[in-house]
Every structure is written in C-alpha cells, then in structure tokens.
Amino acid sequence: MLWTRYAAIGDSFTEGVGDPCEGGAAGGGWRGWADRAAAELAVRSNGPASHGFGYANLAVRGRLLGRIIDEQLPAALDLKPDLVSVSGGGNDLLRPGADIDALAARMDEAVAAIRATGADAVLFTGVDPVGSPVIRRTRGRVAVYNEHLRAIAARRGAFVVDQWSMDVLRDWRMWGVDRLHMGPEGHRRVALAMLEALGVPDAGDWRKPELEPLPELSRGAQRLANARWARGYLAPWIGRRLRGRSSGDLVTAKRPTLAPIE
C-alpha cells in the first residue's frame, strides 16, 4: 500500500526525544523514528521530491494516554490521514496505580475511531525493561499491556510494531544517557521495524548491523553507574511527578499540520 497522509500521535517516544536533528536538539529539535519512517514513505509514495506526501507529528513528551487520545487524536483525525501511528501508555505504566485494563479500553476506543475513518493504524508494544535497574519493576505491567495491544490490533485490523521481541533494544547502545529515551540508533531501528510491519519492501533490516557483546562491568562499576544515573535522571523525574509537573508542560507539537518532508 501507498500512504500519502501520515499523522503520528504519542509522547516523547513519538516526538523523537533522544534523536537530535542536524545541528543538535537546541538548533533543529528532535527527529525520531516517526520522522525517519515518514521520509521513507514519502519517497515510496511520490519519488525523491516527496511532493504530495503530508506528515504531521502531534506527539508531546510526558503525555499520559488520556491526554494523547483526548487532545491529539481529534486533531490528527481532522487532518484526514490515511495512516495514523499511536503510541502511549508508557508514562502511565510507570505509575504504581496504573489501571492496565482501563488503559487498554481507551486505546481500543482510539484505534476503533481511527479505523472508522478508513485510515490504517499502527501500534507499538513496550520494550522489555528487563535490563533497567529501576524500570524493570514495571515489566509485568508492560507485558500485560502488550497483550492487550496485540489483541486490539487483531480485533481492529491494525498493524503492530513488536518492540518487546526486538532483542537489540535491550542493548544500552540503543539508548541515550538518560536510559529513558532511545538514541539515534534505537530510533533508526524502530523506524525500520515500523516499515517492516507495514510491508514496505527493501526499506532495510532493523536487525543489522549485529552488535558485538558489551564488555561486562564489575559490580562496583555497575553500582556507580546506576547511582550517577539515579542522581542525574531518576531523581529529577521523581521530583517532577511529586510537584505534578511534566517535561512537556511548555512543549507544543513540532508538526501540528500535514506538511511535505523537507
């Protein structure tokens, strides 16, 4: 299939945090897997100039699933896209009291609304957090939510990018120093995985290149690295939650309307 109107909604993952544009995040903002996938879809649909292909990215970092669906989804559907990617729920699952069944019900409503317009929908399972010293405590919740997402996709006829099965994403070389957002190589591989899920031929293999094993750190070095990460990134994140703040409070969508790929 060829798509010509692609809208992406979600949180920091879809916004592209961790994958700076040319010139760095301060100069050009974030790129991310959605931008990368959109560029490939544009070329496949319209040739190198990408005229006629429109791409919007309404994602905002820190958003909970409820706000993604209540605020971003209606705005995305107003653009009359023929392809919508929706990823959300990860920030919710970091909260101990998250109601997984309620999250799944809301996601099901969102996918049903997308499919009712005739557009295709793409969902993303969560990454397996087994290697994270803190976030791995959410592993059971993420696994249950993933099963909901797979069931929703099967019921609604949506595509699924199964990040849980992408073993390469357990490698810290795929992530930024904050261990919360993917780095450029992680975003690149997710973009290729999305194109594979959509059935786009010859887009590239997210499994390549294969990575050599990382050298093992001593227990002392691991504890030191984890302590530095907790001070530098985990503590500020917890502080924002305690104050009822979000990293996206002052952030707006980077591509709120359909526009050609530059």
Side-chain angles (χ1 to χ4, degrees):
M1 293 186 63
L2 295 179
W3 295 274
T4 60
R5 301 173 67 85
Y6 169 37
I9 63 175
D11 50 29
S12 59
F13 171 61
T14 301
E15 185 186 345
V17 174
D19 184 15
C21 294
E22 186 176 352
W30 300 111
R31 190 183 185 192
W33 62 265
D35 288 23
R36 292 169 179 266
E40 184 67 24
L41 291 174
V43 171
R44 298 305 180 97
S45 298
N46 303 282
S50 69
H51 294 303
F53 182 90
Y55 165 55
N57 189 319
L58 294 88
V60 175
R61 68 197 72 173
R63 289 293 187 261
L64 299 177
L65 183 61
R67 290 193 65 181
I68 293 171
I69 294 174
D70 292 340
E71 300 171 5
Q72 297 177 25
L73 180 59
L77 295 183
D78 284 345
L79 302 174
K80 308 221 179 305
D82 53 19
L83 178 66
V84 180
S85 65
V86 51
S87 177
N91 290 317
D92 301 79
L93 294 174
L94 290 173
R95 290 159 169 74
D99 186 334
I100 301 173
D101 293 336
L103 291 175
R106 293 238 55 197
M107 181 65 83
D108 185 50
E109 294 172 2
V111 177
I114 295 168
R115 297 293 289 135
T117 69
D120 285 308
V122 186
L123 303 180
F124 296 77
T125 70
V127 176
D128 186 352
V130 64
S132 173
V134 175
I135 300 176
R136 66 184 175 194
R137 297 176 184 177
T138 70
R139 193 183 190 206
R141 296 199 294 273
V142 174
V144 172
Y145 186 54
N146 286 349
E147 287 302 303
H148 278 295
L149 294 176
R150 295 185 186 102
I152 291 167
R155 183 165 59 250
R156 303 294 183 184
F159 297 95
V160 179
V161 180
D162 191 357
Q163 296 186 102
W164 184 275
S165 67
M166 295 173 67
D167 291 346
V168 69
L169 296 182
R170 300 178 187 177
D171 191 306
W172 285 119
R173 285 170 288 190
M174 299 295 103
W175 297 80
V177 294
D178 65 0
R179 304 186 188 179
L180 297 171
H181 300 101
M182 290 182 189
E185 182 62 8
H187 279 282
R188 184 188 73 84
R189 292 185 187 243
V190 170
L192 293 178
M194 174 179 166
L195 294 169
E196 179 181 282
L198 291 175
V200 176
D202 304 322
D205 189 348
W206 58 264
R207 302 162 190 82
K208 305 295 182 181
E210 296 182 2
L211 301 175
E212 294 294 327
L214 283 168
E216 292 189 14
L217 296 177
S218 67
R219 291 185 178 179
Q222 290 180 19
R223 286 195 294 268
L224 178 60
N226 290 339
R228 288 175 174 171
W229 169 76
R231 287 196 304 271
Y233 300 100
L234 180 62
W237 182 86
I238 293 174
R240 287 196 301 271
R241 294 300 175 270
L242 292 175
R243 295 191 302 271
R245 301 290 301 275
S246 168
S247 58
D249 283 345
L250 302 178
V251 178
T252 57
K254 65 180 184 180
R255 294 179 66 98
T257 61
L258 291 170
I261 300 294
E262 297 294 335

